Amino acid sequence: MSAGGGTRAIVAALLANLGIAVTKFVAYLLTMSSSMLAESIHSVADTGNQALLLVGGRRARRAPTAQHPFGYGRERYVYAFIVAIVLFSLGGVFALYEAWHKWSDPHGITSWQWVPVTVLLVAIVLESFSFRTAIKESNLVRGRQSWTRFIRRSKAPELPVVLLEDFGALVGLLFALFGVGMTLATGDGRWDAAGTAMIGLLLVTIAIVLALETKSLLLGEGAEPAEIAAIEQAVTGGPEVERIIHMKTLYLGPDELMVAAKIAVARCETAEELARGIDAVEARIRAAVPTARVIYLEPDIYRGEVGPAEASGRSGS
């Protein structure tokens, strides 16, 4: 993922949500609509979430240390997981509580009736621009993947998070508009409560999806099948390697892939010749998959299939 593209999408969403949050909260104070309060808190949560993503991206760029020799790339995953928690608690659960409270004590919108509808319509326009930016930046790296696969398989969490938040914000605004509109039409505040509950359920669902996907990244994901195929081709694509005995890959961060492999090498006359061969293989891997920045290759002599006892005796080799 282009770091610049992700940052542009985050900043666009942050600025939009900051302005929207203020206008929504003013509308809530004028009308006391629970849908407007839920949407106000939703926008505040989204603004905080975009700030968290920016902080995570900045901290992930720190240089490796003795305690963290592989760097801090996974900090982006940690902050994305925090975003899911904030969205669930501050956005979703609060909206559900406010819906229950309004349902228990329903009241219509009796003053400033034009304000919530106007604010929601303006917010829909602003959120649409933010969502458009996120879609445009995502299309630069999505390729031919479906949107579902892009969100599920992207190793960079920022664009999927912003996409889901902006999508949730737009749908939530429509829910709020439905609740407010029906309340204004009928004078029954329970429609307002229903709209608020729909917003809460939406946010909880999005938060759970984000948490599950980010948890997978935190646990550690390997390379995609296409990347593995490219690495295997690069390893065996020269005279230095007869075959791959076994190989493992792991993303240390969105832009840094570790490749560890035991390779069967051709017999060499000198250690210098072996070292030159391994260097050539590493160069081909990096050319094929630029994110493969950490590469460990263990040379061995392939002896063919062995029995369990022999394999056990050589397990440490």
Side-chain angles (χ1 to χ4, degrees), residues 7 14 38 49 89 94 104-105 114-115 127 129 131 146 159 162 176 184 196 206 209 219 238 273 275 279 311 315:
T7 300
L14 187 150
N49 287 342
S89 56
F94 178 84
S104 302
D105 181 24
W114 59 273
V115 169
E127 284 289 0
F129 281 114
F131 193 36
S146 67
L159 283 176
V162 173
L184 291 173
T196 306
I206 291 176
V209 171
L219 289 175
E273 184 181 352
D279 289 343
S315 61

Side-chain angles (χ1 to χ4, degrees), residues 93-140:
V93 174
F94 178 84
L96 291 174
Y97 167 77
E98 182 61 24
W100 173 80
H101 183 267
K102 185 63 177 285
W103 189 272
S104 302
D105 181 24
H107 52 81
I109 301 173
T110 57
S111 60
W112 299 90
Q113 294 179 331
W114 59 273
V115 169
V117 174
T118 303
V119 168
L120 289 172
L121 290 175
V122 172
I124 288 173
V125 173
L126 294 176
E127 284 289 0
S128 297
F129 281 114
S130 175
F131 193 36
R132 178 178 174 273
T133 300
I135 291 174
K136 180 179 178 181
E137 297 298 336
S138 297
N139 280 332
L140 296 177

Side-chain angles (χ1 to χ4, degrees), residues 223-244 247 249 259 261 263 277 280-289 292 297:
E224 292 294 301
E227 293 173 322
I228 292 176
I231 293 170
E232 290 176 343
Q233 177 61 37
V235 172
T236 59
E240 305 88 1
V241 178
E242 295 177 347
R243 64 186 297 161
I244 298 172
M247 181 176 73
T249 62
V259 178
I263 54 176
V281 174
E282 290 182 353
R284 289 201 301 269
I285 293 174
R286 291 191 172 95
V289 181
L297 300 178

Side-chain angles (χ1 to χ4, degrees), residues 143-277:
R144 297 183 178 180
Q145 299 179 87
S146 67
W147 285 108
T148 300
R149 180 171 177 80
F150 172 70
I151 290 171
R152 293 198 60 187
R153 303 304 300 170
S154 176
K155 299 300 188 273
E158 292 85 359
L159 283 176
V161 168
V162 173
L163 276 169
L164 284 176
E165 283 194 342
D166 284 353
F167 173 77
L170 278 172
V171 176
L173 287 167
L174 294 176
F175 288 163
L177 190 60
F178 167 79
V180 168
M182 291 301 295
T183 299
L184 291 173
T186 65
D188 188 350
R190 283 177 293 187
W191 286 109
D192 197 13
T196 306
M198 292 163 68
I199 294 169
L201 291 173
L202 172 70
L203 296 182
V204 167
T205 301
I206 291 176
I208 290 173
V209 171
L210 284 177
L212 291 175
E213 296 306 322
T214 309
K215 183 195 75 170
S216 178
L217 292 170
L218 281 171
L219 289 175
E221 291 187 355
E224 292 294 301
E227 293 173 322
I228 292 176
I231 293 170
E232 290 176 343
Q233 177 61 37
V235 172
T236 59
E240 305 88 1
V241 178
E242 295 177 347
R243 64 186 297 161
I244 298 172
I245 300 175
H246 60 74
M247 181 176 73
K248 296 184 184 296
T249 62
L250 179 68
Y251 266 95
L252 303 173
D255 306 313
E256 188 172 35
L257 177 66
M258 181 177 71
V259 178
K262 176 177 280 192
I263 54 176
V265 297
R267 296 183 181 274
C268 303
E269 295 294 332
T270 65
E272 182 180 356
E273 184 181 352
L274 176 62
R276 284 199 303 268

